[in-house]
């Protein structure tokens, strides 16, 4: 275990979570309760974490608790927060495996004291609990949970890590292996899905769910009942045979489906889940410690931490955004178009901004359909208990439709979501400008067209801005905010303010064809399609990028995006950069034939190439291997990123990565994309230098 001096040297800048022990008298107990409170000294906006110094403090607090000769030892957190895991900020500085090993071992040594204590130990989980915080709670003999806890999770596999302070061993032996697979693998690899308190109780993670108003008092009274034998929390019988086998197989299927073997942390988690079957903490913890030190010293893990910092820090302070004081207030929103994308936007604006939203379209049937979609979705939210009847009715009243754009006269923000054709969008904005004030922001959800060209004929082109959502609107967190040549700071600041109110992560983008995500995905897809056109079989080209562990293969992505949309963007990019972006005649025939997928599936779910697609495609005579296709794709992407940075499309490579993570769903362990290109040597080969400095998203040199 690390000493205080060693801990300070390991993470000198650690925000220390101090553990303080106090003695509490509880009715019905002859002896007092030793209550340890963990608190980093900040409010709930900066959750408590565990770095080396924090672990040393917790260890000392446990010593003090034992010295009090209590009836029980309980640990709880500051208001609204229990603890959210290891302090990841210092991990980036670790260049020596021996230090990684010491930190891993210290966490086990301290937490295990709660498990092996002869005095009953309790975790009073009074708020957000994730990662190492949940592992501390699992290390205790008993757990209570506040019913208003906002976040419960083991998110490590999402980051490219694994629960390394007991989680892989304790959780399956508490709630069963299949339920543990849900928490450790399925939820983590589903964009870090959180558990709700009721779900945690149903799974058996907590022994009792208590109200938040007097949570601590109730927890202490429940503790007294347990100590006095009036309450005996149930413990599940664990199936260590066929049930465990099935759980491991399910975990393997999830990991393969989500990571394609590209995440070292996920692979280690699988090994440790199998090891937990024996319920031998000595063996399990020793394996966790060694595996944690190993994974901490890998570049994919450092790329995962880099991704985490981008999402948690850079996304909250967008590079290049104007001063927020310049933003204008938005009291009403207009949406031109009432199709699916527009209707999704209407629902989002109404729910988050709580202001009137008006949809327009070319005929009443379309308008009615759009408004009906929003109202139906609100009814679904009410049915799920996420809205009460009054709130649902208020939201419905906010969303209306009109055929007359004069309905936008008092709007402060109007966004168009009409057909992706420049002339159509120019006409729409010209019509809207006749009705709105000179300060009303005119936003476009275009995915590839020039905002500057769209604004060219307007009286006030300075108030036009790109506001590019990703589909589905409610789910995808990225918003590309595009500054055209004449967009002024007040318009841009308003766009960023609205984006924040919509709870989106906004990135400032220059007005360039297809912006960031669509430009890179089009180059990516274009290289795959080019290889197929030249003669590479569909399946070979489609599996070429599997080692990256992307959310889906290129041809499945094509189906999701929609072939007509993908073709339109590809043709736009070909027009802008014909030397780098192709326009495939085969793709044109594919779309004209009304095809939506290259593949068909039989009743058993087996995938094969659609014979009709195979027949319409004209192949060349050059057949590449998957490795050759992959190198070509990645070299094309590396070239495109360098050109985009040279053009100033975004401020830095970090913004490219942030966009690919939030807009493309690319995994954390890739770091978006540039760290992967760097560590594979592709950046150096194509551009002569890496995108990132050594030690950024990689293990620093000792």
């Amino acid at each position: 275990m690390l000493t205080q001096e060693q801990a300070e040297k390991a993470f000198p800048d650690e925000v220390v979570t101090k553990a303080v022990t106090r003695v509490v008298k509880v009715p019905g107990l002859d002896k007092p309760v030793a209550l340890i409170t963990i608190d980093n000294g900040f409010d709930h906006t900066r959750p408590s974490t565990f770095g080396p110094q924090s672990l040393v403090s917790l260890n000392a607090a446990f010593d003090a608790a034992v010295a009090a000769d209590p009836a029980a030892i309980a640990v709880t957190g500051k208001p609204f927060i229990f603890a959210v895991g290891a302090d990841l900020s210092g991990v980036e500085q670790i260049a020596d495996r021996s230090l990684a090993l010491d930190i891993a071992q210290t966490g086990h040594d301290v937490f295990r004291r709660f498990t092996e204590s002869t005095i009953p130990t309790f975790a009073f989980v009074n708020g957000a609990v994730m990662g190492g915080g949940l592992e501390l709670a699992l290390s205790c003999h008993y757990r209570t949970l506040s019913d208003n806890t906002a976040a419960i999770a083991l998110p490590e596999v999402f980051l490219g890590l694994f629960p390394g302070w007991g989680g892989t061993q304790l959780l399956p032996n508490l709630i069963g292996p299949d339920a543990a697979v849900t928490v450790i693998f399925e939820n983590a690899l589903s964009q870090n899905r959180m558990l709700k308190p009721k779900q945690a109780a149903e799974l058996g993670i907590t022994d009792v769910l208590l109200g938040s108003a007097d949570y601590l008092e109730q927890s202490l009274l429940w503790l007294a009942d347990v100590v006095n034998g009036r309450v005996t929390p149930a413990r599940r019988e664990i199936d260590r045979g066929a049930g465990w086998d099935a759980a491991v197989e399910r975990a393997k299927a999830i990991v393969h489906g989500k990571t394609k073997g590209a995440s070292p942390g996920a692979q280690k988690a699988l090994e440790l889940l199998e090891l937990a079957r024996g319920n031998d903490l000595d063996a399990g913890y020793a394996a966790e410690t060694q595996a944690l030190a190993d994974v901490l010293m890998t570049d994919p893990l450092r790329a995962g931490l880099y991704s985490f910092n981008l999402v948690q820090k850079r996304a909250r302070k967008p590079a290049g955004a104007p001063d927020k004081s310049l933003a204008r207030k938005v009291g009403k929103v207009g949406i031109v178009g009432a199709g699916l994308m527009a209707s999704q936007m209407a629902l989002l604006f109404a729910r988050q901004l709580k202001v009137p939203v008006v949809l327009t379209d070319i005929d009443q049937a379309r308008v009615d359909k759009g408004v009906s979609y929003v109202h139906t979705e609100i009814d679904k939210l009410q049915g799920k208990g996420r809205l009460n009847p009054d709130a649902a009715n208020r939201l419905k009243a906010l969303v209306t439709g009109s055929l007359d754009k004069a309905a936008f006269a008092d709007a402060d923000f109007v966004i168009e979501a009409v057909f992706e054709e420049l002339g159509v969008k120019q006409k729409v904005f010209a019509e809207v400008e006749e009705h709105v004030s000179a300060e009303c922001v005119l936003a476009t959800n275009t995915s590839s067209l020039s905002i500057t060209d769209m604004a060219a004929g307007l009286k006030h082109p300075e108030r036009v801005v790109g506001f590019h959502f990703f589909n589905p609107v409610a789910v995808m967190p990225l918003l590309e905010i595009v500054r055209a040549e004449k967009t002024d700071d007040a318009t841009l600041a308003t766009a960023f303010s609205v984006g924040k109110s919509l709870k989106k992560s906004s990135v400032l983008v220059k007005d360039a064809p297809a912006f960031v995500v669509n430009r890179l995905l089009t180059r990516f897809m274009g290289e795959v399609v080019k290889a197929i056109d030249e003669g590479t079989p569909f399946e070979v080209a489609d599996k070429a990028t599997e080692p990256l562990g992307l959310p889906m293969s290129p041809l499945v992505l094509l189906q999701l995006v929609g072939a007509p949309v993908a073709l339109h963007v590809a043709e736009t990019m070909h027009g802008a950069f014909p030397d780098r972006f192709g326009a495939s005649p085969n793709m044109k025939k594919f779309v004209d034939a009304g095809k939506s997928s290259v593949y068909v599936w039989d009743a058993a779910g087996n995938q094969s190439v659609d014979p009709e697609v195979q027949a319409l495609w004209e192949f060349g005579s050059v057949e590449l291997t998957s490795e050759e296709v992959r190198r070509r794709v990645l070299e094309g992407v590396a070239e495109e990123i360098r050109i985009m940075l040279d053009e100033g499309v975004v401020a830095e490579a970090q913004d490219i990565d942030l966009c690919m993570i939030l807009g493309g769903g690319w995994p954390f362990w890739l770091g978006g994309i540039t760290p992967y290109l760097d560590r594979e040597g592709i950046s150096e080969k194509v551009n002569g230098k890496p995108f990132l400095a050594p030690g950024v998203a990689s293990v620093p040199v000792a």
Side-chain angles (χ1 to χ4, degrees), residues 218-258:
Q218 288 187 71
S219 292
L220 287 167
L221 292 173
W222 184 84
L223 173 153
D225 285 342
V226 172
V227 170
N228 287 327
R230 287 192 290 269
V231 170
T232 302
R235 290 291 181 263
R236 301 183 180 192
E237 185 175 343
I238 306 300
D239 181 349
R240 303 184 188 280
W244 204 290
D245 290 338
V248 170
E249 289 307 309
R250 187 166 82 91
K252 287 179 179 177
I254 292 168
V255 169
H256 176 73
K258 296 286 189 177

Side-chain angles (χ1 to χ4, degrees), residues 4 102 129 156 309 354 374 392 536 558 586 593 604 619:
Q4 178 65 36
D102 287 342
V129 59
E156 288 87 348
N309 286 332
K354 305 290 193 298
V374 177
T536 305
L558 174 67
N586 282 319
F619 297 92

Side-chain angles (χ1 to χ4, degrees), residues 395-413:
L395 275 182
K396 286 181 181 179
L398 289 175
V399 181
T400 58
S402 174
L403 284 176
D404 190 351
K405 292 183 177 64
F408 296 153
D410 55 346
D412 306 295
F413 190 97

Side-chain angles (χ1 to χ4, degrees), residues 448-449 482 509-516 519 577 647 649:
S448 61
L449 300 177
V482 188
V509 181
K510 181 182 176 182
D511 188 14
F515 316 126
V516 177
R519 179 165 171 176
F577 309 115
E647 291 175 352
V649 174

Side-chain angles (χ1 to χ4, degrees), residues 85-291:
D87 181 355
L88 299 175
S89 61
V91 172
E92 301 162 21
Q93 303 164 27
I94 299 176
D96 183 351
R97 186 183 184 278
S98 63
L99 178 57
L101 194 66
D102 287 342
I103 294 171
Q105 185 63 54
T106 298
H108 274 126
D109 289 346
V110 176
F111 287 6
R112 195 168 181 178
R113 296 189 72 185
F114 289 83
T115 306
E116 297 184 340
S117 170
T118 56
I119 302 168
T121 57
F122 294 76
F124 295 165
V125 183
N126 62 307
V129 59
M130 291 186 281
L134 184 52
E135 289 174 297
L136 172 59
L138 292 171
S139 298
C140 295
H141 301 147
Y142 309 102
R143 285 154 294 284
T144 71
L145 178 66
S146 174
D147 65 4
N148 70 340
T149 299
I152 307 164
L154 288 174
E156 288 87 348
V157 176
F158 177 64
L159 297 174
L161 195 54
F162 62 87
W165 281 339
T168 68
Q169 306 302 296
L170 295 171
L171 189 64
N173 282 297
L174 175 68
I175 67 175
D178 191 66
V181 167
T182 297
V183 178
I184 295 172
F185 297 95
E186 187 175 21
N187 286 0
L189 290 173
S190 297
Q191 292 299 305
N192 195 20
R193 183 189 299 151
M194 299 283 155
L195 291 170
K196 297 185 183 302
K198 186 178 178 182
Q199 291 173 311
E202 290 170 349
L203 287 173
I205 292 174
T206 182
D207 293 310
V208 64
L209 203 58
L210 300 174
S212 60
D214 55 351
Y215 171 73
L216 183 58
E217 291 81 359
Q218 288 187 71
S219 292
L220 287 167
L221 292 173
W222 184 84
L223 173 153
D225 285 342
V226 172
V227 170
N228 287 327
R230 287 192 290 269
V231 170
T232 302
R235 290 291 181 263
R236 301 183 180 192
E237 185 175 343
I238 306 300
D239 181 349
R240 303 184 188 280
W244 204 290
D245 290 338
V248 170
E249 289 307 309
R250 187 166 82 91
K252 287 179 179 177
I254 292 168
V255 169
H256 176 73
K258 296 286 189 177
T259 77
K260 307 296 188 296
S263 170
Q267 295 301 317
K268 288 290 186 184
L270 287 173
E271 296 171 16
L272 291 163
L273 173 65
E274 178 54 57
L275 183 62
R277 188 194 302 250
N279 197 24
D280 180 342
L281 288 190
D282 286 336
Y285 281 14
E288 271 191 350
T289 296
Q290 293 296 328

Side-chain angles (χ1 to χ4, degrees), residues 595-645:
K595 290 294 181 180
S596 60
S597 174
V598 168
Y599 298 119
V600 291
W601 289 264
D602 62 22
N606 297 312
Q607 174 184 293
S608 60
V609 175
D610 183 341
E612 293 180 7
V613 174
Q614 186 78 31
L616 70 80
W617 215 276
E618 293 184 21
F619 297 92
S621 58
V622 179
E623 183 174 338
L624 303 179
T625 65
S626 283
E627 173 61 25
E628 288 169 332
V629 175
R630 180 165 59 255
R631 298 300 294 189
R632 181 190 284 186
V633 168
L634 294 175
E635 287 173 10
V637 169
E639 178 189 35
E640 202 61 35
I641 293 172
R642 173 51 55 201
I643 292 169
M644 291 166 71
L645 293 173

Side-chain angles (χ1 to χ4, degrees), residues 471-472 476 551-563 565 596-597:
N471 199 15
M476 298 302 288
M552 61 193 73
S553 71
L555 296 182
V556 173
L557 175 63
L558 174 67
Q559 182 180 357
L560 178 69
V561 170
V565 173
S596 60
S597 174

